[in-house]
Amino acid sequence: MVSYLTRIFGLARLDLAEDVIQDTLCRAMETWSLHGLPDNPSAWLMRVARNRAIDLLRRDDQFRYLAPELVHFLRLQQDLPVETPAFEKEIQDDQLLMMFSCCHPELSTEAQVTLILKTLCGFSVSEIAHALLDGEDSIEKRLGRARKLFRLSGPFVEITNASEIPKRLEAVYQAIYLLFNEGYHGSRSEPTVREDLCFEAIRLALFLSEHPEGEPMPCLRCFVSTRPVFTAV
């Protein structure tokens, strides 16, 4: 949901996208407790988030001139089978594309990885600190500087050319590896293995390995090639 909405709002409005998601989750808790789970919870969440985004776009003065096009895009986005690539070798996976978009060239690799883990991988500040062997205060400051940079960079930050991909690979590699590491043996004592994180890291690594500009690092190649099967205990 973060990846989807951030592509609409732009990374400069990351806070707005996160607010929409929080509102959507709160509404889900209220509605589902009364009426039960919908047939397709994921689709329900995306639809409600999209409608909430449309409401905010209509009210926001800074989006006033862009609102008709963005609203139309939001309404049609899920109805399109496959988007036409904006350029040759464009990354088609929303999650992976937003990882690369987080790697602003004016940010250090550590800041890029921190932003990816917090925004797109759902890590808490303490989990990021554990993964990067750093203090929580340092992580908070790093996130604050990164968000400020994106707010000042204009409303939309996208990868517009395949030549930008290799320059940002290192941070994306690290983020995917740390995502797998947190799932396989992370900061939490329970559960021992978080299969959702492991499989998402493997999915992203496989997708990246198949891209013309991507070649997995040795540390990634180990778990991509083995494709471990996890059994719930």
Side-chain angles (χ1 to χ4, degrees), residues 11 13 19 28-29 34 37 46 68 73 80 83-85 87 110 113-114 124 134 139 170-171 174 202 212 216 220 222:
L11 279 167
R13 291 302 191 92
D19 287 344
M29 291 177 64
L34 294 174
L37 287 175
M46 292 302 298
F73 178 75
L80 298 177
E83 289 189 47
T84 301
F87 57 88
E110 291 80 7
V113 173
T114 299
S124 66
D134 208 339
I139 299 300
E170 181 181 355
Q174 289 189 31
I202 292 173
L220 290 178
C222 292

Side-chain angles (χ1 to χ4, degrees), residues 17-228:
E18 291 178 337
D19 287 344
V20 169
I21 293 171
Q22 290 297 323
D23 289 345
T24 302
L25 295 177
C26 288
R27 184 174 175 184
M29 291 177 64
E30 296 173 357
T31 304
W32 296 358
S33 63
L34 294 174
H35 304 289
L37 287 175
D39 293 336
N40 190 333
S42 297
W44 189 98
L45 290 170
M46 292 302 298
R47 184 178 67 256
V48 172
R50 186 173 69 253
N51 292 339
R52 176 61 176 159
I54 290 174
D55 290 340
L56 291 177
L57 286 173
R58 285 172 172 163
R59 299 175 192 173
D60 195 323
D61 290 339
Q62 296 185 37
F63 276 89
R64 181 166 296 172
Y65 296 105
L66 295 174
E69 291 78 9
L70 290 175
V71 168
H72 179 71
F73 178 75
L74 279 166
R75 284 175 171 169
L76 295 181
Q77 179 79 3
Q78 288 189 333
D79 297 331
L80 298 177
V82 179
E83 289 189 47
T84 301
F87 57 88
E88 187 178 2
K89 300 179 182 179
E90 182 188 23
I91 297 173
Q92 294 295 297
D93 183 83
D94 277 352
Q95 186 83 346
L96 192 57
L97 178 61
M98 287 310 305
M99 285 184 168
F100 279 92
S101 295
C102 283
C103 298
H104 194 290
E106 294 185 23
L107 292 175
S108 66
T109 301
E110 291 80 7
Q112 294 171 358
V113 173
T114 299
L115 186 62
I116 292 172
L117 293 179
K118 181 67 173 70
T119 305
L120 300 173
C121 298
F123 279 39
S124 66
V125 170
S126 61
E127 288 172 337
I128 297 173
H130 179 269
L132 297 179
L133 303 178
D134 208 339
E136 292 186 22
D137 289 342
S138 297
I139 299 300
E140 291 278 14
K141 292 177 181 177
R142 199 176 295 163
L143 286 169
R145 289 192 295 268
R147 290 171 182 266
K148 180 179 180 180
L149 175 62
F150 281 112
R151 283 196 298 270
L152 298 175
S153 297
F156 299 98
V157 180
E158 289 283 356
I159 300 295
T160 58
N161 192 295
S163 64
E164 300 177 46
I165 295 175
K167 304 172 187 176
R168 308 183 185 209
L169 278 173
E170 181 181 355
V172 175
Y173 283 143
Q174 289 189 31
I176 294 175
Y177 177 75
L178 291 172
L179 177 62
F180 179 85
N181 193 58
E182 177 66 25
Y184 190 69
H185 185 65
S187 56
R188 300 182 186 180
S189 57
E190 296 291 340
T192 305
V193 175
R194 299 171 64 185
E195 297 182 12
D196 56 332
L197 298 187
C198 293
F199 283 126
E200 176 64 4
I202 292 173
R203 185 189 72 81
L204 292 169
L206 288 171
F207 198 99
L208 185 55
S209 70
E210 294 168 357
H211 191 275
E213 300 292 340
E215 175 62 31
M217 293 166 58
C219 60
L220 290 178
R221 192 177 293 117
C222 292
F223 72 79
V224 170
S225 60
T226 55
R227 303 191 189 191

